[in-house]
Amino acid sequence: MEKVTNSDLKSSVNGGVVDVYGEDSATIEHNITPWSLSVSSGYSLLRDPRYNKGLAFTEKERDTHYLRGLLPPVVLDQKLQEKRLLNNIRQYQFPLQKYMALTELQERNERLFYKLLIDNVEELLPIVYTPTVGEACQKFGSIFRRPQGLFISLKDKGKILDVLKNWPERNIQVIVVTDGERILGLGDLGCQGMGIPVGKLALYSALGGVRPSACLPVTIDVGTNNEKLLNDEFYIGLRQKRATGQEYSELLHEFMSAVKQNYGENILIQFEDFANHNAFELLAKYRDTHLVFNDDIQGTASVVLAGLVSAQKLTNSPLAEHTFLFLGAGEAGTGIAELIALYISKQMNASVEESRKKIWLVDSKGLIVNSRKDSLQDFKKPWAHEHEPVKDLLGAIKAINPTVLIGSAGIGRAFTKEVIEAMSSINERPLIMALSNPTTQSECTAEEAYTWSKGRAIFASGSPFDPVEYEGNVFVSTQANNAYIFPGFGLGLVISGAIRVHDDMLLAAAEALAGQVSKENYDKGMIYPSFSSIRKISAHIAANVAAKAYELGLAGRLPRPKDIVKCAESSMYSPTYRLYR
Ligand SMILES: NC(=O)C1=CN([C@@H]2O[C@H](COP(=O)(O)OP(=O)(O)OC[C@H]3O[C@@H](n4cnc5c(N)ncnc54)[C@H](OP(=O)(O)O)[C@@H]3O)[C@@H](O)[C@H]2O)C=CC1
Ligand SMILES: CC(=O)C(=O)O
Ligand SMILES: [Mg+2]
């Protein structure tokens, strides 16, 4: 097995660009940033989240690093610190208080934050991620304490490269960027969408093992059309309507160019929570020139496909024999539909066009059918099949007889009792996914799915639900959430030095995830593995993605490691404290 060293990562991740900020090559005409390196000690060491260990500094470290007297006498190990923090977090009544406490910890002692998150992932994921992160974004202005991530606004036009240079870390491997227009199913939250890239990148490190210092959250503020926020005195963003058209695309283009110029060819840019009209366009525009990945379109597709592949064990019928119906034909809905069609086409040796025929989508105007084709957005057109118009979901279920129902409309409680009953009357084991986030927008609860289907549904949801007891049986639903995919997917791109994302990598990631579902999981009715083993899962996803990158000739990091799973595992960030000399 090849050992991954920091210098390997440095040269491959930045595409060989080591003089990142052009300081060495700068001529007298170029402006440079006067960054300087210094060794942290004393009071400033305690205030540096990356190196602070709080009460865990040893006696020797306290002597060497001028900490005597700045800490009380006790020395606690990381385990005890973790226990104390968990106790404190559990005392808070409201999830938002827990979110704020965890954010403060991240800002105070980064390694302890990640240790706590990794060791208690099932308990804390709903806090740093959906559903609580949604509430945090809604109230971001009021709870704002210290800025996290990089804010780029219309005011920075022409200066985005300089803004990037203000970020203190140089060896960035992953950027998650949003413009805040479609935050979960909560709509336009403008600049307050920053909670999402921050949360996603926390998962990149905790779940996928990408070093926190290599992660850069970015929010591009082009205004907001959310009147409530525009009138909110605590709103943190630009107080104007959203820029659109040329003004929008020029700013985004400047950003995309500056990122590549600053960090090189191998920087991964994950688009997150853009409204669909921009999301599809940005992906199409940059997928051939940048290492880009749209989490809502592609990551969601991969995670849902994994769940469907894994569910074959419970339904006893191959994917090609299913009929799929979606409520919601946007980024998530059409992204998933397209990957299912690609998967089936490969399985059946059929064309993608042929494979699309068993996949139907409903949007706000009803079933997508041929007679609507002229007025449809481009990304919906492949799904316009020959059928008479059907106005609503229940009508579509009756007309199409689906075996799988997937909710991706962001409309809470759209899977009514009638909908679940209709699915249960057609299928012995109806497969139902309520993908919309946060919990308020979920198409139905786990309890509703199991109760209304009389315990027959195979159910997964975007946001988590507690296990449900129904007629003496306990049903454990799992999360169909792209959080299973993007951390390992990104790690796979990073360790292989990939230069582009290919759809076959999404299939490879889905197969790796499906392969991690155990008999024990199936016995409980789960179609995804438990999040408690997510680092192992991520290593397998990363390995499959990296292997695909090598196979497709898209990997820049040569030679190919012999054991890619081990390579992925050994590349993962560990938050255990280090000793300071
Ligand atoms: N679990 C997961 O991992 C993920 C979950 N999601 C969730 O999926 C949801 C949708 O996201 P996304 O696809 O990006 O959003 P989009 O805005 O791209 O798509 C929403 C779709 O829902 C349709 N819709 C809206 N209202 C209704 C209605 N009343 N009846 C029928 N259809 C309706 C829209 O129709 P029209 O086109 O006519 O306007 C559109 O097709 C969000 O809640 C998001 O949180 C997203 C990504 C990942
Ligand atoms: C999970 C996610 O990416 C979303 O709901 O947008
Ligand atoms: Mg998203």
Side-chain angles (χ1 to χ4, degrees):
M1 185 208 65
E2 291 241 330
K3 189 156 170 34
V4 180
T5 64
N6 277 345
S7 64
D8 283 340
L9 282 178
K10 199 172 167 187
S11 61
S12 69
V13 163
N14 293 310
V17 184
V18 176
D19 180 20
V20 180
Y21 288 166
E23 288 154 4
D24 300 339
S25 56
T27 65
I28 195 97
E29 295 88 41
H30 291 119
N31 295 334
I32 62 155
T33 311
W35 282 103
S36 64
L37 280 179
S38 63
V39 177
S40 239
S41 68
Y43 192 77
S44 63
L45 178 56
L46 295 179
R47 295 285 176 285
D48 182 342
R50 189 147 154 213
Y51 295 110
N52 178 30
K53 298 197 267 186
L55 295 175
F57 281 110
T58 63
E59 297 289 355
K60 182 169 173 281
E61 286 170 334
R62 291 175 192 210
D63 281 334
T64 329
H65 294 281
Y66 305 95
L67 295 170
R68 288 251 162 246
L70 300 184
L71 290 165
V74 74
V75 177
L76 298 185
D77 65 14
Q78 198 177 18
K79 209 165 170 207
L80 207 55
Q81 286 183 305
E82 214 185 325
K83 182 176 175 190
R84 183 170 54 92
L85 272 158
L86 198 59
N87 283 345
N88 289 344
I89 284 167
R90 286 177 180 160
Q91 305 290 322
Y92 291 115
Q93 188 188 353
F94 298 110
L96 192 61
Q97 292 171 313
K98 298 184 189 201
Y99 176 90
M100 289 165 70
L102 282 168
T103 301
E104 277 190 345
L105 175 61
Q106 191 178 14
E107 291 291 300
R108 188 170 75 240
N109 181 338
E110 187 180 274
R111 283 184 181 272
L112 191 52
F113 168 79
Y114 282 109
K115 187 85 174 66
L116 193 70
L117 186 52
I118 291 167
D119 291 346
N120 304 280
V121 66
E122 290 192 306
E123 179 173 347
L124 298 182
L125 204 57
I127 308 297
V128 298
Y129 195 55
T130 181
T132 311
V133 72
E135 186 187 355
C137 288
Q138 288 174 310
K139 298 176 181 166
F140 213 72
S142 314
I143 64 170
F144 185 83
R145 291 193 182 171
R146 275 176 165 210
Q148 289 180 293
L150 203 58
F151 294 89
I152 297 174
S153 82
L154 285 170
K155 286 196 221 166
D156 303 314
K157 187 163 174 7
K159 293 182 275 190
I160 295 183
L161 189 60
D162 293 334
V163 174
L164 290 179
K165 288 179 180 180
N166 288 343
W167 189 252
E169 303 291 346
R170 291 162 182 233
N171 291 320
I172 299 298
Q173 296 172 334
V174 185
I175 289 176
V176 176
V177 58
T178 188
D179 72 355
E181 193 169 2
R182 196 286 276 142
I183 294 300
L184 307 177
L186 301 171
D188 183 353
L189 297 184
C191 193
Q192 304 201 159
M194 179 56 106
I196 294 294
V198 167
K200 291 270 176 184
L201 284 165
L203 304 199
Y204 256 102
S205 299
L207 278 50
V210 177
R211 279 176 295 118
S213 60
C215 296
L216 174 58
V218 176
T219 292
I220 299 192
D221 185 350
V222 296
T224 178
N225 295 340
N226 183 328
E227 285 298 332
K228 200 169 157 218
L229 287 180
L230 288 172
N231 293 318
D232 179 350
E233 60 179 328
F234 299 129
Y235 180 56
I236 59 165
L238 288 183
R239 223 168 272 276
Q240 65 166 75
K241 291 275 189 202
R242 277 188 178 273
T244 56
Q246 195 179 346
E247 194 183 9
Y248 178 89
S249 54
E250 279 178 6
L251 193 75
L252 266 288
H253 192 66
E254 186 186 337
F255 169 73
M256 295 301 288
S257 307
V259 163
K260 202 154 132 177
Q261 188 176 345
N262 211 31
Y263 301 115
E265 192 75 23
N266 293 81
I267 177 83
L268 169 61
I269 303 170
Q270 173 168 319
F271 293 119
E272 192 69 53
D273 289 11
F274 282 76
N276 61 36
H277 54 105
N278 290 320
F280 285 104
E281 212 172 293
L282 288 169
L283 186 59
K285 185 166 174 188
Y286 294 107
R287 66 185 305 164
D288 295 330
T289 54
H290 291 64
L291 182 66
V292 289
F293 165 68
N294 185 302
D295 187 36
D296 301 296
I297 302 170
Q298 299 172 294
T300 314
S302 187
V303 79
V304 170
L305 178 64
L308 297 172
V309 168
S310 133
Q312 291 175 123
K313 287 234 169 67
L314 297 178
T315 58
N316 290 321
S317 53
L319 236 50
E321 285 175 16
H322 282 275
T323 304
F324 304 85
L325 181 64
F326 287 77
L327 179 70
E331 293 168 66
T334 61
I336 300 161
E338 195 61 43
L339 200 66
I340 296 174
L342 182 63
Y343 179 87
I344 292 176
S345 73
K346 289 191 185 245
Q347 295 281 305
M348 303 306 291
N349 219 0
S351 68
V352 173
E353 290 71 30
E354 190 58 32
S355 305
R356 286 189 186 125
K357 288 186 178 156
K358 288 185 84 181
I359 305 176
W360 298 80
L361 292 96
V362 170
D363 65 8
S364 64
K365 297 184 179 64
L367 192 64
I368 296 184
V369 290
N370 244 336
S371 54
R372 292 180 53 197
K373 202 159 185 173
D374 289 347
S375 61
L376 290 173
Q377 290 154 286
D378 282 347
F379 56 85
K380 291 182 187 170
K381 286 194 166 118
W383 308 103
H385 304 317
E386 201 49 61
H387 198 285
E388 64 197 38
V390 179
K391 273 224 160 62
D392 61 5
L393 178 64
L394 198 56
I397 293 175
K398 289 177 180 161
I400 303 299
N401 284 331
T403 55
V404 178
L405 178 64
I406 298 177
S408 58
I411 303 296
R413 304 299 172 271
F415 292 172
T416 57
K417 189 163 186 266
E418 291 71 28
V419 164
I420 305 281
E421 283 177 351
M423 284 299 291
S424 310
S425 71
I426 303 166
N427 303 285
E428 183 53 35
R429 302 290 319 262
L431 183 33
I432 294 167
M433 291 192 179
L435 297 182
S436 295
N437 297 313
T439 317
T440 49
Q441 312 311 115
S442 186
E443 285 77 6
C444 66
T445 65
E447 185 166 13
E448 288 164 349
Y450 293 123
T451 309
W452 294 337
S453 68
K454 301 199 180 344
R456 286 192 282 123
I458 301 167
F459 178 73
S461 54
S463 295
F465 286 106
D466 288 336
V468 173
E469 203 182 322
Y470 175 75
E471 293 192 343
N473 293 316
V474 176
F475 295 89
V476 182
S477 64
T478 34
Q479 252 178 288
N481 193 299
N482 49 35
Y484 273 110
I485 291 289
F486 68 79
F489 192 84
L491 182 68
L493 298 173
V494 167
I495 61 170
S496 59
I499 50 159
R500 298 288 175 267
V501 169
H502 191 283
D503 284 347
D504 284 357
M505 296 174 181
L506 301 170
L507 297 176
E511 277 165 6
L513 177 56
Q516 293 296 309
V517 188
S518 65
K519 180 171 181 312
E520 193 192 349
N521 297 141
Y522 288 125
D523 289 346
K524 291 182 187 157
M526 297 160 70
I527 53 171
Y528 293 98
S530 136
F531 263 117
S532 57
S533 51
I534 186 67
R535 303 247 310 177
K536 178 177 151 253
I537 298 165
S538 293
H540 281 271
I541 293 174
N544 260 24
V545 170
K548 192 53 78 178
Y550 284 106
E551 189 188 316
L552 295 169
L554 291 171
R557 190 143 176 274
L558 300 168
R560 178 191 193 278
K562 284 194 188 73
D563 185 336
I564 311 190
V565 176
K566 280 221 175 89
C567 170
E569 280 168 353
S570 65
S571 315
M572 286 173 116
Y573 162 80
S574 152
T576 312
Y577 288 143
R578 305 292 196 272
L579 281 177
Y580 300 160
R581 65 190 162 97

